[in-house]
């Protein structure tokens, strides 16, 4: 155990921010604070001092360019240049804060299936005749998709393994309009993704059913998440010996403070925000009161949503579903008795029933096309190509790093410098009418988050920018989102977590135990702040460490208030590192609308003055290119798979440094897949998730 921990902490200690804020953001904050105070108190602002501060901040920093004129959620420069007349003061008040729309003011983006006319059907058949061989599908085929394990929010290349949410959703839309597809057969087994992705897929199941085609689900292993998704299908089958458990939902947090004491490691962690639990795993032995409050609220939201949606879909009362869970049911037969599944059948029996549905004789083979092959069918062959108006899609998934490291792999997290290139590409091109930033990230490097925030703000000056949140857009992930014009989240997206954490380890006692010695010669009062891991921080070093983290938090909080047009004290109430579900975040002004990617597209069209009934072409700017390891992995190389896992682990260890705007690695058991790993490895995995 001591060897393992030594490996984990042999990388450089976590320093305070490796960057220095200029005084410009502070000056800007002081200027805008003066304005806010004057507006709230209804007194004329001291325009000369405000203007001087504002101009000084603008000229000395890239926080705002001199030509900035953000279209929404920003303070108007005119507010600082006008005289003291009553009329202009009233105009200032109107322009100072963005008038918040309610959820109902935004288009729903609801899928509207339209029957294909005779001429269009003829064109589709003609295109299918000249399509590539791998795009050809037999008439009357059933689309099969195995939804199991990880589901990425990124697009996948044809050589990449695993499931991609964009391609799953696209397959549902294509299949709805494809005259060759009779229905969909879903194998749902052991999902390892968040509730937002499940909600997105569930929505597409309901949308597909509007075409009049069937959706059948088969679940060899069924827990709450798998059942939640399958309940949207027409028919739901389990094998008689299915792994089944409806026992409820739990949340768990692991703590390493006791382990560190035993091996002689002393973590020095600064976390700003009373709900910012990242770092608690290193310094505490039990859950804090604030963390317990936050996690309880999230758990209640997820449990309540599950009861509401499932009971509504199955025609049950919420109280009846509660009682069913509390009974501790373990027999699959009870699901049939309660009408929660269609019947108990094996896979081959379900396929026989599907033959009857599509009119295939029993002795014939059911024509089927799998997810992988159908993903290669282009929209063009089905007449689903978009219109002339282009909307740029920029996907940001994973932990945030500022620069690409030697260990970085294709698609492994958000590399700030690479994403900034995509954002600038969308800004500099006049062909895009709007942009959607699709975020699925718990955060990471605070500086990288700030740099991307800046670029998204610049993009928002030239065209509408919509942030669409997936499973999680928290901490650094929310930092990016708050730069957009409008933020769209699912009901159960985890977001917020406006706070920061930084830290380093004191390994003196561990060094004594293993007979290791380290001595440092330095010049400069604080030169050993980052280098001296053989001793705890001195009081003056600890004070500087804390001030640095506090400064980073205030930058984050103030920019969040600025971006969301909130007074700083109001933002402080919802910040403090607290994680919210999408619905709760919307009620507190952190999110604008509840919905999935399709709603983000609809809002982008509204903002760009594109009629809702007009098709648009979505251009993926972050489309992946296959790498050699992915190609080898795609043909079954377990060695490459192991190497990839090892590299990702080493990358997390070596580059988790600096101030972190990151949500912690709390494990949701029952909300995510069950963890059957070695408990010690699970503990370490959870710890690594919070670095």
């Amino acid at each position: 155990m001591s060897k393992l921990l030594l490996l984990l902490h042999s990388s450089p200690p976590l320093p305070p921010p490796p960057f220095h804020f200029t005084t410009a953001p502070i000056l800007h904050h002081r200027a805008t604070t003066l304005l806010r105070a004057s507006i709230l108190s209804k007194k004329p602002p001291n325009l000369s001092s405000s203007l001087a501060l504002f101009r000084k901040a603008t000229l000395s920093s890239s926080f705002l360019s001199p030509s900035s004129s953000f279209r929404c959620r920003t303070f108007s420069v005119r507010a600082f240049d006008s005289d003291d007349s009553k009329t202009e003061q009233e105009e200032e008040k109107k322009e100072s804060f963005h008038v918040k729309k309610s959820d109902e003011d935004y288009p729903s983006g609801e899928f509207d299936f339209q029957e294909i006319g005779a001429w269009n059907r003829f064109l589709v058949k003609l295109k299918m005749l000249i399509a590539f061989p791998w795009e050809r599908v037999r008439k009357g085929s059933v689309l099969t998709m195995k939804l199991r394990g990880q589901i990425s929010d990124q697009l996948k290349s044809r050589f990449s393994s695993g499931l991609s949410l964009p391609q799953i959703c696209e397959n549902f839309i294509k299949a709805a309009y494809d005259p060759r597809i009779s229905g969909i057969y879903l194998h749902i087994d052991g999902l390892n993704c968040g509730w937002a992705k499940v909600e997105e897929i569930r929505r597409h199941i309901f949308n597909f059913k509007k075409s009049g085609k069937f959706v059948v689900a088969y679940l060899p292993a069924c827990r709450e998440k798998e059942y939640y998704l399958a309940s949207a299908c027409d028919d739901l089958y389990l094998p008689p010996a299915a792994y089944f458990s409806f026992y409820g939902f739990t949340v768990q947090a692991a703590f390493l403070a006791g382990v560190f004491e035993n091996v002689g490691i002393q973590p020095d962690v600064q976390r700003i925000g009373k709900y910012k639990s990242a770092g608690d795993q290193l310094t505490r032995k039990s859950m804090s009161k604030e963390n317990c409050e936050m996690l309880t609220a999230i758990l209640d939201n997820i449990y309540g949503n599950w009861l509401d949606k499932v009971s509504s879909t199955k025609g049950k009362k919420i109280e009846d579903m509660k009682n069913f869970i509390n009974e501790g049911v373990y027999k699959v037969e009870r699901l049939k008795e309660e009408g929660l599944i269609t019947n108990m059948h094996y896979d081959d029996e379900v396929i026989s029933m599907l033959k009857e549905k599509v009119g295939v004789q029993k002795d014939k083979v059911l024509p089927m096309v799998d997810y992988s092959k159908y993903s290669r069918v282009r929209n063009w062959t089905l007449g689903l190509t978009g219109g002339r108006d282009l909307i740029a899609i920029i996907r940001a998934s994973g932990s945030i790093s500022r620069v690409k490291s030697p260990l970085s792999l294709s698609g492994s997290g958000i590399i700030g410098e690479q994403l900034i290139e995509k954002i600038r590409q969308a800004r500099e091109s006049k062909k895009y009418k709007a942009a959607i930033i699709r975020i699925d990230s718990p955060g990471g490097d605070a500086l990288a988050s700030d740099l991307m925030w800046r670029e998204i703000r610049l993009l928002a000056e030239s065209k509408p920018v919509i942030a669409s949140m997936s499973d999680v857009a928290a901490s650094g992930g929310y930092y990016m989102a708050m730069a957009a014009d409008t933020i769209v989240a699912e009901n159960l997206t985890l977001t917020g977590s406006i706070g920061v954490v930084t830290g380093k380890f004191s390994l003196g006692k561990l060094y004594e135990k293993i007979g290791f010695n380290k001595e440092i010669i330095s010049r400069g009062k604080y030169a050993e702040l980052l280098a001296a891991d053989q001793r705890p921080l001195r009081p003056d070093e600890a004070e500087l460490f804390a001030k640095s983290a506090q400064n980073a938090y205030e930058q984050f909080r103030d920019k969040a208030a600025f971006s969301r047009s909130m007074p700083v004290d109001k933002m402080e109430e919802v910040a403090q590192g607290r994680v919210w579900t999408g619905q709760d975040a919307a009620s507190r002004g952190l999110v604008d609308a509840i919905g999935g990617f399709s709603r983000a597209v609809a809002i982008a069209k509204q903002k760009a003055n594109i009629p809702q009934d007009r098709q648009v072409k979505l251009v993926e700017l972050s489309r992946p290119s296959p790498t050699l390891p992915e190609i080898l992995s795609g043909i079954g190389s377990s060695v490459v798979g192991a190497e990839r896992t090892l590299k990702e682990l080493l990358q997390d260890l070596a580059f988790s440094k600096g101030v972190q705007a990151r949500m912690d690695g709390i494990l949701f058991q029952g909300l995510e897949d069950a963890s059957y790993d070695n408990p010690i490895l699970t503990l370490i995995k959870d710890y690594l998730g919070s670095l």
Side-chain angles (χ1 to χ4, degrees), residues 558-591:
D558 293 354
K559 286 183 181 178
F562 178 84
S563 300
R564 298 300 297 173
S565 295
M566 282 188 191
V568 173
D569 56 349
K570 185 69 175 177
M571 178 56 70
E572 181 71 12
E573 294 176 8
V574 296
Q576 293 283 331
R578 178 154 185 169
V579 179
W580 305 95
T581 57
Q583 189 65 56
D584 284 347
S587 67
R588 288 162 174 82
L590 297 178
V591 165

Side-chain angles (χ1 to χ4, degrees), residues 81-133:
D81 293 331
S82 59
D83 57 29
D84 295 334
S85 66
K86 181 177 180 181
T87 302
E88 290 184 348
Q89 284 184 38
E90 291 174 352
E91 289 180 357
E92 292 164 22
K93 294 176 186 179
K94 291 179 182 178
E95 293 182 3
S96 293
F97 293 101
H98 171 69
V99 178
K100 179 174 171 58
K101 291 184 177 181
S102 65
D103 184 273
E104 293 76 15
D105 293 328
Y106 296 102
S108 67
E110 186 176 351
F111 178 76
D112 183 20
F113 179 79
Q114 298 177 353
E115 293 288 346
I116 301 176
W119 174 248
N120 286 333
R121 281 199 300 270
F122 170 75
L123 290 178
V124 168
K125 290 179 181 178
L126 184 62
K127 290 176 181 177
M128 289 175 181
L129 289 175
I130 61 175
F132 293 117

Side-chain angles (χ1 to χ4, degrees), residues 185-211:
Y185 182 33
L186 296 178
H187 274 234
I188 305 173
D189 183 6
L191 293 172
N192 183 21
C193 64
W195 286 94
K197 289 192 182 78
V198 173
E199 192 68 52
E200 187 90 46
I201 298 172
R202 195 172 189 265
R203 184 181 297 112
H204 277 274
I205 292 175
F206 283 118
N207 290 340
F208 175 82
K209 289 164 65 174
K210 294 178 182 178
S211 67

Side-chain angles (χ1 to χ4, degrees), residues 494-514:
L494 298 180
T495 188
S497 192
I498 300 170
V500 299
V501 61
T502 186
K504 65 183 292 291
F505 291 102
S506 172
L507 307 177
K509 293 182 179 179
L510 175 62
Y511 288 168
E512 288 179 11
K513 289 183 179 182
I514 62 176

